[in-house]
Amino acid sequence: MSDPLSTRLTERLGCRLPIIQTAMGWIATPELVAATSNAGAFGFLAGAVMQPGELREAIARLRDLTPYRFGVNFHSFQPGAAQIVEIILEHADRVGAVSFGRGPDAGMIGRFNDAGILCIPTVGAVKHAQKMVQLGCEMVTVQGGEGGGHTGSVATTILLPQVLDAVDVPVVAAGGFADGRGLAAALAYGAVGIAMGTRFLMTAESPVPAAPKAAYARAGTGDIIVSTKVDGLPQRMIRNPLLGRIEKSGKLAMWRRAIEAGLEMKRQTGMSWGETLAAARNMTAHGDMPLAQAMLAAAAPMMIQRAVVSGDAENGLMATGLVAGRLDDLPGCAALIASIETEARARIAALTRGN
């Protein structure tokens, strides 16, 4: 009998289990990716928040931490994107996949395909999945509205079958997954595996400091909301004092926050004001949006970094999937992945027995 947990995902990526750890900014470090990959899943490195030199160092460290292949996430609008693509291609022997939300064109996707690197974009709408396949992507991750950070309004249980019916490439399910029951359900829908962010954020190997980790563990589903006040786009986050102030803020406060974020971006990257404004606009993928909103798009990463890197759970933002509302533990990656495998196999076996 064939193994029900052996899918096109495991075949293409070389991992033992059809589980992907997503590339959360500042969280998907070499240590977390290695812990994930060593436990049998497939981890993505958060290259989208790295400068080219930082990514090169992170990949070198990751090569030492795990013998397995791993993925790299990037955005084609980030500073140094052209160099980052070349760095990824230089490591095609170990980089098994790239993920991205938007940006790469058919030519760039073709270069990755030719190098044997699987392109797995994350999409939140049927039309976006179809577009990515047209551009040459051979697998897609579908994130329903339960997912963390920027999110859509269509639940995974609706969006996943819509995309499965619309494209002819393997589909990975994301948004609301945390355990073996979810993996079994995704496979039953026809997906080739699941992708999880929040569940891996809430692990022992996650670099998130203790205070925000505790906030994630305490949060119930009623403590998690979708806000459009952060950068004008829907984002799912945990309620805290900063988010409360943002929700109540007027235009003047939003401009002040945007300017502060621009100054911080300049400090961290060394970019000029012109380059900072251009980067902010590119991050939104809409060149005609108001300047304040474009700057606010730059503000969000800085405020998230304040929580997940600096550990300020009250004055930083905590992006999260809705699934955090039912999680209250911080297991190690090996224990987490083992429990998902055990539960998934048990649920699949129960279904085949008719129980």
Side-chain angles (χ1 to χ4, degrees):
M1 179 181 293
S2 62
D3 183 353
L5 299 187
S6 177
T7 72
R8 292 283 297 282
L9 187 154
T10 59
E11 293 169 7
R12 291 296 306 270
L13 298 182
C15 49
R16 188 173 61 83
L17 298 168
I19 302 169
I20 285 175
Q21 163 250 303
T22 63
M24 300 161 283
W26 302 288
I27 298 167
T29 59
E31 289 72 21
L32 179 60
V33 175
T36 298
S37 297
N38 290 340
F42 188 86
F44 274 92
L45 184 66
V49 295
M50 297 180 186
Q51 297 290 318
E54 293 175 312
L55 179 62
R56 192 181 295 278
E57 292 176 5
I59 290 177
R61 176 158 178 72
L62 189 45
R63 292 180 68 109
D64 290 337
L65 292 173
T66 180
Y68 302 104
R69 301 188 85 190
F70 50 85
V72 177
N73 173 259
F74 76 101
H75 293 306
S76 61
F77 52 75
Q78 71 188 91
Q83 291 175 267
I84 283 170
V85 169
E86 298 306 322
I87 291 169
I88 293 171
L89 290 169
E90 287 171 15
H91 293 276
D93 62 318
R94 294 293 302 281
V95 177
V98 290
S99 66
F100 44 83
R102 57 185 181 266
D105 57 19
M108 185 183 295
I109 290 170
R111 292 188 68 197
F112 286 126
N113 289 342
D114 291 344
I117 298 174
L118 185 64
C119 293
I120 316 179
T122 298
V123 300
V126 174
K127 64 180 181 180
H128 296 153
Q130 293 171 320
K131 180 64 173 180
M132 288 296 101
V133 173
Q134 291 171 3
L135 290 175
C137 295
E138 298 176 347
M139 189 177 291
V140 296
T141 295
V142 175
Q143 179 177 298
E146 300 93 326
H150 288 116
T151 190
S153 59
V154 181
T156 303
T157 51
I158 305 301
L159 183 61
L160 176 59
Q162 285 182 316
V163 173
L164 284 164
D165 291 343
V167 300
D168 58 0
V169 300
V171 174
V172 182
F177 295 99
D179 55 26
R181 292 176 296 181
L183 175 55
L187 295 177
Y189 268 102
V192 295
I194 58 173
M196 304 186 300
T198 302
R199 177 66 279 190
F200 280 106
L201 180 155
M202 296 174 64
T203 59
E205 291 88 350
S206 163
V208 175
K213 265 188 182 177
Y216 277 94
R218 286 194 306 269
T221 53
D223 300 314
I224 299 170
I225 67 169
V226 174
S227 173
T228 59
K229 281 288 195 80
V230 176
D231 67 358
L233 301 173
Q235 292 195 66
R236 188 179 296 283
M237 298 188 173
I238 293 176
R239 293 180 189 269
N240 71 345
L242 175 60
L243 187 57
R245 293 194 297 272
I246 290 173
E247 284 292 290
K248 297 176 183 176
S249 64
K251 289 186 177 180
L252 181 60
M254 293 172 71
W255 263 108
R256 184 171 62 249
R257 217 169 53 245
I259 292 170
E260 290 173 352
L263 289 170
E264 179 63 17
M265 178 176 281
K266 278 173 51 63
R267 186 189 68 79
Q268 290 192 18
T269 64
M271 293 189 295
S272 67
W273 266 115
E275 291 169 329
T276 300
L277 292 172
R281 288 189 183 279
N282 288 335
M283 286 171 65
T284 67
H286 298 287
D288 57 352
M289 66 168 46
L291 179 59
Q293 187 173 338
M295 286 300 297
L296 285 171
M302 303 302 165
M303 290 184 286
I304 291 171
Q305 191 177 16
R306 190 182 300 162
V308 301
V309 176
S310 301
D312 191 341
E314 294 192 352
N315 298 299
L317 292 176
M318 292 176 284
T320 185
L322 188 58
V323 73
R326 69 177 184 86
L327 303 176
D328 60 7
D329 60 343
L330 301 167
C333 286
L336 170 64
I337 292 169
S339 70
I340 292 174
E341 178 182 9
T342 298
E343 186 176 37
R345 292 189 184 282
R347 294 314 310 150
I348 293 169
L351 289 171
T352 58
R353 291 195 305 267
N355 295 334

